[in-house]
mmCIF file of all heavy atoms in Angstrom:
data_model
loop_
_atom_site.group_PDB
_atom_site.id
_atom_site.type_symbol
_atom_site.label_atom_id
_atom_site.label_comp_id
_atom_site.label_asym_id
_atom_site.label_seq_id
_atom_site.Cartn_x
_atom_site.Cartn_y
_atom_site.Cartn_z
ATOM 1 N N VAL U 269 -4.874 -1.234 2.383
ATOM 2 C CA VAL U 269 -4.060 -2.195 1.617
ATOM 3 C C VAL U 269 -4.919 -2.931 0.604
ATOM 4 O O VAL U 269 -4.505 -3.125 -0.560
ATOM 5 C CB VAL U 269 -3.324 -3.153 2.564
ATOM 6 C CG1 VAL U 269 -2.651 -4.288 1.782
ATOM 7 C CG2 VAL U 269 -2.314 -2.412 3.411
ATOM 8 N N ALA U 270 -6.135 -3.302 0.990
ATOM 9 C CA ALA U 270 -7.028 -3.987 0.037
ATOM 10 C C ALA U 270 -7.382 -3.113 -1.131
ATOM 11 O O ALA U 270 -7.459 -3.571 -2.264
ATOM 12 C CB ALA U 270 -8.284 -4.438 0.778
ATOM 13 N N ARG U 271 -7.594 -1.799 -0.868
ATOM 14 C CA ARG U 271 -7.895 -0.870 -1.967
ATOM 15 C C ARG U 271 -6.720 -0.768 -2.928
ATOM 16 O O ARG U 271 -6.899 -0.715 -4.143
ATOM 17 C CB ARG U 271 -8.254 0.499 -1.396
ATOM 18 C CG ARG U 271 -8.385 1.609 -2.405
ATOM 19 C CD ARG U 271 -9.683 1.546 -3.245
ATOM 20 N NE ARG U 271 -10.877 1.692 -2.478
ATOM 21 C CZ ARG U 271 -11.513 2.819 -2.227
ATOM 22 N NH1 ARG U 271 -11.042 3.941 -2.724
ATOM 23 N NH2 ARG U 271 -12.616 2.830 -1.531
ATOM 24 N N VAL U 272 -5.509 -0.702 -2.406
ATOM 25 C CA VAL U 272 -4.313 -0.609 -3.255
ATOM 26 C C VAL U 272 -4.202 -1.880 -4.094
ATOM 27 O O VAL U 272 -3.974 -1.826 -5.319
ATOM 28 C CB VAL U 272 -3.050 -0.389 -2.429
ATOM 29 C CG1 VAL U 272 -1.794 -0.509 -3.292
ATOM 30 C CG2 VAL U 272 -3.083 0.956 -1.719
ATOM 31 N N ARG U 273 -4.386 -3.029 -3.476
ATOM 32 C CA ARG U 273 -4.268 -4.285 -4.223
ATOM 33 C C ARG U 273 -5.375 -4.411 -5.262
ATOM 34 O O ARG U 273 -5.145 -4.983 -6.342
ATOM 35 C CB ARG U 273 -4.268 -5.471 -3.247
ATOM 36 C CG ARG U 273 -2.980 -5.505 -2.423
ATOM 37 C CD ARG U 273 -2.776 -6.833 -1.779
ATOM 38 N NE ARG U 273 -1.528 -6.848 -1.015
ATOM 39 C CZ ARG U 273 -0.330 -7.115 -1.554
ATOM 40 N NH1 ARG U 273 -0.226 -7.361 -2.818
ATOM 41 N NH2 ARG U 273 0.746 -7.102 -0.786
ATOM 42 N N ALA U 274 -6.556 -3.898 -4.977
ATOM 43 C CA ALA U 274 -7.630 -3.946 -5.984
ATOM 44 C C ALA U 274 -7.319 -3.026 -7.162
ATOM 45 O O ALA U 274 -7.597 -3.365 -8.307
ATOM 46 C CB ALA U 274 -8.953 -3.519 -5.330
ATOM 47 N N ALA U 275 -6.703 -1.875 -6.879
ATOM 48 C CA ALA U 275 -6.368 -0.942 -7.960
ATOM 49 C C ALA U 275 -5.210 -1.482 -8.834
ATOM 50 O O ALA U 275 -5.045 -1.053 -9.964
ATOM 51 C CB ALA U 275 -5.978 0.414 -7.385
ATOM 52 N N THR U 276 -4.426 -2.393 -8.277
ATOM 53 C CA THR U 276 -3.281 -2.950 -9.007
ATOM 54 C C THR U 276 -3.483 -4.455 -9.249
ATOM 55 O O THR U 276 -2.526 -5.204 -9.329
ATOM 56 C CB THR U 276 -1.977 -2.718 -8.237
ATOM 57 O OG1 THR U 276 -2.098 -3.335 -6.937
ATOM 58 C CG2 THR U 276 -1.666 -1.260 -8.075
ATOM 59 N N SER U 277 -4.713 -4.875 -9.371
ATOM 60 C CA SER U 277 -5.030 -6.313 -9.441
ATOM 61 C C SER U 277 -4.422 -7.004 -10.648
ATOM 62 O O SER U 277 -4.211 -8.217 -10.630
ATOM 63 C CB SER U 277 -6.535 -6.518 -9.437
ATOM 64 O OG SER U 277 -7.124 -5.883 -10.570
ATOM 65 N N PHE U 278 -4.129 -6.271 -11.709
ATOM 66 C CA PHE U 278 -3.550 -6.897 -12.905
ATOM 67 C C PHE U 278 -2.047 -7.084 -12.795
ATOM 68 O O PHE U 278 -1.453 -7.703 -13.659
ATOM 69 C CB PHE U 278 -3.880 -6.062 -14.168
ATOM 70 C CG PHE U 278 -3.542 -4.604 -14.024
ATOM 71 C CD1 PHE U 278 -2.292 -4.136 -14.347
ATOM 72 C CD2 PHE U 278 -4.496 -3.715 -13.533
ATOM 73 C CE1 PHE U 278 -1.990 -2.817 -14.215
ATOM 74 C CE2 PHE U 278 -4.185 -2.382 -13.391
ATOM 75 C CZ PHE U 278 -2.934 -1.929 -13.745
ATOM 76 N N LEU U 279 -1.435 -6.579 -11.754
ATOM 77 C CA LEU U 279 0.006 -6.820 -11.485
ATOM 78 C C LEU U 279 0.140 -8.121 -10.693
ATOM 79 O O LEU U 279 -0.798 -8.534 -10.000
ATOM 80 C CB LEU U 279 0.619 -5.655 -10.738
ATOM 81 C CG LEU U 279 0.646 -4.302 -11.422
ATOM 82 C CD1 LEU U 279 1.204 -3.233 -10.499
ATOM 83 C CD2 LEU U 279 1.465 -4.373 -12.715
ATOM 84 N N ASP U 280 1.333 -8.690 -10.727
ATOM 85 C CA ASP U 280 1.605 -9.897 -9.925
ATOM 86 C C ASP U 280 1.655 -9.466 -8.460
ATOM 87 O O ASP U 280 2.604 -8.819 -8.021
ATOM 88 C CB ASP U 280 2.935 -10.501 -10.376
ATOM 89 C CG ASP U 280 3.239 -11.803 -9.670
ATOM 90 O OD1 ASP U 280 2.502 -12.190 -8.747
ATOM 91 O OD2 ASP U 280 4.242 -12.443 -10.055
ATOM 92 N N GLN U 281 0.638 -9.852 -7.690
ATOM 93 C CA GLN U 281 0.496 -9.401 -6.317
ATOM 94 C C GLN U 281 1.616 -9.947 -5.417
ATOM 95 O O GLN U 281 1.903 -9.364 -4.365
ATOM 96 C CB GLN U 281 -0.867 -9.800 -5.765
ATOM 97 C CG GLN U 281 -2.027 -9.127 -6.454
ATOM 98 C CD GLN U 281 -2.013 -7.610 -6.242
ATOM 99 O OE1 GLN U 281 -1.954 -7.128 -5.135
ATOM 100 N NE2 GLN U 281 -2.040 -6.860 -7.333
ATOM 101 N N SER U 282 2.248 -11.043 -5.796
ATOM 102 C CA SER U 282 3.344 -11.582 -4.970
ATOM 103 C C SER U 282 4.585 -10.681 -5.060
ATOM 104 O O SER U 282 5.471 -10.770 -4.218
ATOM 105 C CB SER U 282 3.700 -12.984 -5.395
ATOM 106 O OG SER U 282 4.217 -13.005 -6.709
ATOM 107 N N LEU U 283 4.661 -9.817 -6.075
ATOM 108 C CA LEU U 283 5.802 -8.894 -6.222
ATOM 109 C C LEU U 283 5.477 -7.502 -5.749
ATOM 110 O O LEU U 283 6.300 -6.584 -5.888
ATOM 111 C CB LEU U 283 6.223 -8.854 -7.714
ATOM 112 C CG LEU U 283 6.578 -10.183 -8.354
ATOM 113 C CD1 LEU U 283 6.873 -10.012 -9.843
ATOM 114 C CD2 LEU U 283 7.791 -10.804 -7.664
ATOM 115 N N LEU U 284 4.287 -7.294 -5.166
ATOM 116 C CA LEU U 284 3.806 -5.986 -4.743
ATOM 117 C C LEU U 284 3.882 -5.881 -3.225
ATOM 118 O O LEU U 284 3.437 -6.783 -2.517
ATOM 119 C CB LEU U 284 2.378 -5.784 -5.216
ATOM 120 C CG LEU U 284 1.747 -4.430 -4.976
ATOM 121 C CD1 LEU U 284 2.251 -3.427 -5.987
ATOM 122 C CD2 LEU U 284 0.244 -4.532 -5.040
ATOM 123 N N THR U 285 4.431 -4.768 -2.727
ATOM 124 C CA THR U 285 4.490 -4.495 -1.313
ATOM 125 C C THR U 285 3.783 -3.180 -1.037
ATOM 126 O O THR U 285 4.084 -2.174 -1.686
ATOM 127 C CB THR U 285 5.959 -4.410 -0.815
ATOM 128 O OG1 THR U 285 6.647 -5.582 -1.201
ATOM 129 C CG2 THR U 285 6.034 -4.212 0.680
ATOM 130 N N VAL U 286 2.888 -3.166 -0.046
ATOM 131 C CA VAL U 286 2.137 -1.973 0.311
ATOM 132 C C VAL U 286 2.477 -1.631 1.759
ATOM 133 O O VAL U 286 2.409 -2.490 2.636
ATOM 134 C CB VAL U 286 0.621 -2.161 0.161
ATOM 135 C CG1 VAL U 286 -0.115 -0.897 0.526
ATOM 136 C CG2 VAL U 286 0.283 -2.604 -1.245
ATOM 137 N N THR U 287 2.868 -0.386 2.019
ATOM 138 C CA THR U 287 3.206 0.068 3.372
ATOM 139 C C THR U 287 2.381 1.302 3.679
ATOM 140 O O THR U 287 2.345 2.254 2.904
ATOM 141 C CB THR U 287 4.697 0.421 3.461
ATOM 142 O OG1 THR U 287 5.467 -0.680 2.972
ATOM 143 C CG2 THR U 287 5.093 0.732 4.881
ATOM 144 N N VAL U 288 1.713 1.281 4.854
ATOM 145 C CA VAL U 288 0.936 2.422 5.308
ATOM 146 C C VAL U 288 1.593 2.957 6.576
ATOM 147 O O VAL U 288 1.735 2.237 7.552
ATOM 148 C CB VAL U 288 -0.544 2.017 5.592
ATOM 149 C CG1 VAL U 288 -1.348 3.223 6.028
ATOM 150 C CG2 VAL U 288 -1.161 1.373 4.372
ATOM 151 N N THR U 289 1.997 4.220 6.546
ATOM 152 C CA THR U 289 2.602 4.849 7.690
ATOM 153 C C THR U 289 1.862 6.137 8.031
ATOM 154 O O THR U 289 1.209 6.731 7.177
ATOM 155 C CB THR U 289 4.093 5.162 7.457
ATOM 156 O OG1 THR U 289 4.231 5.940 6.267
ATOM 157 C CG2 THR U 289 4.915 3.889 7.310
ATOM 158 N N CYS U 290 1.977 6.575 9.277
ATOM 159 C CA CYS U 290 1.255 7.748 9.749
ATOM 160 C C CYS U 290 2.219 8.722 10.449
ATOM 161 O O CYS U 290 3.240 8.315 10.988
ATOM 162 C CB CYS U 290 0.162 7.347 10.759
ATOM 163 S SG CYS U 290 -1.061 6.239 10.073
ATOM 164 N N SER U 291 1.837 9.977 10.430
ATOM 165 C CA SER U 291 2.558 11.016 11.130
ATOM 166 C C SER U 291 1.575 11.740 12.037
ATOM 167 O O SER U 291 0.659 12.407 11.552
ATOM 168 C CB SER U 291 3.190 12.012 10.143
ATOM 169 O OG SER U 291 3.725 13.119 10.836
ATOM 170 N N HIS U 292 1.753 11.548 13.334
ATOM 171 C CA HIS U 292 0.851 12.164 14.300
ATOM 172 C C HIS U 292 1.450 13.496 14.804
ATOM 173 O O HIS U 292 2.627 13.554 15.138
ATOM 174 C CB HIS U 292 0.628 11.231 15.501
ATOM 175 C CG HIS U 292 0.045 9.918 15.123
ATOM 176 N ND1 HIS U 292 -1.246 9.748 14.684
ATOM 177 C CD2 HIS U 292 0.589 8.680 15.093
ATOM 178 C CE1 HIS U 292 -1.458 8.471 14.420
ATOM 179 N NE2 HIS U 292 -0.351 7.809 14.656
ATOM 180 N N ASN U 293 0.649 14.523 14.833
ATOM 181 C CA ASN U 293 1.044 15.841 15.354
ATOM 182 C C ASN U 293 2.318 16.372 14.711
ATOM 183 O O ASN U 293 3.165 16.942 15.381
ATOM 184 C CB ASN U 293 1.193 15.786 16.875
ATOM 185 C CG ASN U 293 -0.057 15.392 17.589
ATOM 186 O OD1 ASN U 293 -1.144 15.764 17.140
ATOM 187 N ND2 ASN U 293 0.034 14.628 18.649
ATOM 188 N N GLY U 294 2.504 16.164 13.449
ATOM 189 C CA GLY U 294 3.673 16.682 12.728
ATOM 190 C C GLY U 294 4.966 15.953 12.997
ATOM 191 O O GLY U 294 6.032 16.406 12.609
ATOM 192 N N GLY U 295 4.912 14.778 13.652
ATOM 193 C CA GLY U 295 6.120 13.995 13.895
ATOM 194 C C GLY U 295 6.535 13.216 12.680
ATOM 195 O O GLY U 295 6.003 13.375 11.582
ATOM 196 N N GLY U 296 7.501 12.332 12.842
ATOM 197 C CA GLY U 296 7.958 11.519 11.754
ATOM 198 C C GLY U 296 6.978 10.396 11.416
ATOM 199 O O GLY U 296 6.083 10.086 12.189
ATOM 200 N N PHE U 297 7.150 9.820 10.248
ATOM 201 C CA PHE U 297 6.276 8.740 9.831
ATOM 202 C C PHE U 297 6.706 7.434 10.486
ATOM 203 O O PHE U 297 7.883 7.101 10.529
ATOM 204 C CB PHE U 297 6.274 8.595 8.315
ATOM 205 C CG PHE U 297 5.466 9.630 7.617
ATOM 206 C CD1 PHE U 297 6.050 10.819 7.194
ATOM 207 C CD2 PHE U 297 4.132 9.422 7.382
ATOM 208 C CE1 PHE U 297 5.299 11.793 6.565
ATOM 209 C CE2 PHE U 297 3.356 10.382 6.749
ATOM 210 C CZ PHE U 297 3.947 11.564 6.337
#
């Protein structure tokens, strides 16, 4: 999330939402 926010630092961070999801063993995210 910190890397994403650093890459988009010139955008208004209060309007930015970052979601990280995973899929284990081919299941759903």
Side-chain angles (χ1 to χ4, degrees):
V269 170
R271 171 74 63 92
V272 172
R273 291 197 179 275
T276 59
S277 62
F278 51 89
L279 296 177
D280 184 354
Q281 295 295 307
S282 66
L283 303 175
L284 185 79
T285 306
V286 181
T287 308
V288 181
T289 55
C290 299
S291 171
H292 301 289
N293 300 324
F297 283 91

